[in-house]
């Protein structure tokens, strides 16, 4: 299993084409709020803005510390 630290990079990967164009229609299906409200906004060039969603996902991780939490993603 590959682990990392950067939620925003994970979101870029999941909302991107994938390794073999397997990410055909990336979207949220569940969340702590209405998934449509959590969906990343589109910028003028049709790219996505992950700042808000990554910030929300990083909030619970900010309180974690100790062994095993250095790479929570």
């Amino acid at each position: 299993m590959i682990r990392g630290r950067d939620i925003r990079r994970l979101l870029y990967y999941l909302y991107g084409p994938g390794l073999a164009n397997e990410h055909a229609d990336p979207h949220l299906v569940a969340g702590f709020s209405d998934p449509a409200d959590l969906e990343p906004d589109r910028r003028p060039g049709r790219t996505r803005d992950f700042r808000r969603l990554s910030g929300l996902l990083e909030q619970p991780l900010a309180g974690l510390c100790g062994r095993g939490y250095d790479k929570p993603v």
Side-chain angles (χ1 to χ4, degrees), residues 19-34:
L19 299 176
N21 292 322
E22 68 269 27
H23 302 167
D25 182 23
H27 58 277
L28 291 172
V29 294
F32 49 83
S33 181
D34 182 2

Side-chain angles (χ1 to χ4, degrees), residues 5-65:
R5 293 183 184 98
D6 194 339
I7 290 175
R8 193 175 297 186
R9 284 184 59 193
L10 176 61
L11 291 172
Y12 275 110
Y13 168 72
L14 292 173
Y15 275 86
L19 299 176
N21 292 322
E22 68 269 27
H23 302 167
D25 182 23
H27 58 277
L28 291 172
V29 294
F32 49 83
S33 181
D34 182 2
D37 293 339
L38 297 171
E39 196 70 41
D41 293 327
R42 290 209 183 254
R43 294 179 176 149
R46 303 287 299 157
T47 60
R48 300 212 185 228
D49 184 358
F50 296 109
R51 291 177 294 184
R52 180 175 173 271
L53 181 57
S54 66
L56 290 170
L57 293 171
E58 288 170 353
Q59 286 178 1
L61 300 176
L64 298 175
C65 60

